[in-house]
Amino acid sequence: MSGRIVIVGYHPKPGKEKELDTLTRKHYSLLKGADLVSDRTPIIMKAKNGTVVEVFEWKSDAAIEQAHTHPVVLKLWEEYAAVCEYVPVGGLEEMGNLFSTFTPFE
């Protein structure tokens, strides 16, 4: 079974930008430690409105399902819920361009 690439947008709640950045820095390594994502290096960027956009690869559909019951992932998702809203990336201003450009995540 091949992997599943996902693109997700995290828009920080007011005053929670630093906390979101911290979570984003550890997101992939936690998923990797749980053996849920591939070795493909994630791409992380920021939109003009502060939304963090992440592109990463789940190992499989089964890995996605496993994430919904994995204690480490569930705790991580709770932390994300405290600092951001998940947003569809299609609604970002940048996505209206033929070549969508973002600021690299540092």
Side-chain angles (χ1 to χ4, degrees), residues 30 33 39 43 53 63 68-69 86 89 91 102:
L30 287 174
D39 292 330
I43 297 173
V53 178
H68 286 86
T69 59
Y86 294 92
V89 296
F102 295 84

Side-chain angles (χ1 to χ4, degrees), residues 7-38:
I7 304 171
V8 61
Y10 313 106
H11 187 74
K13 291 181 178 179
K16 299 294 184 178
E17 294 84 2
K18 288 185 180 184
E19 291 92 337
L20 176 57
D21 287 357
T22 298
L23 279 176
T24 301
R25 284 186 186 91
K26 70 179 185 177
H27 181 234
Y28 173 79
S29 63
L30 287 174
L31 295 178
K32 185 71 178 155
D35 198 33
L36 298 172
V37 293
S38 74

Side-chain angles (χ1 to χ4, degrees), residues 7-9 45-49 51 53-55 87-102:
I7 304 171
V8 61
M45 59 205 105
K46 281 196 178 183
K48 290 176 189 173
N49 72 354
T51 297
V53 178
E54 182 178 25
V55 181
V87 297
V89 296
L92 297 173
E93 176 185 335
E94 291 85 348
M95 297 305 285
N97 299 316
L98 182 60
F99 294 95
S100 303
T101 60
F102 295 84

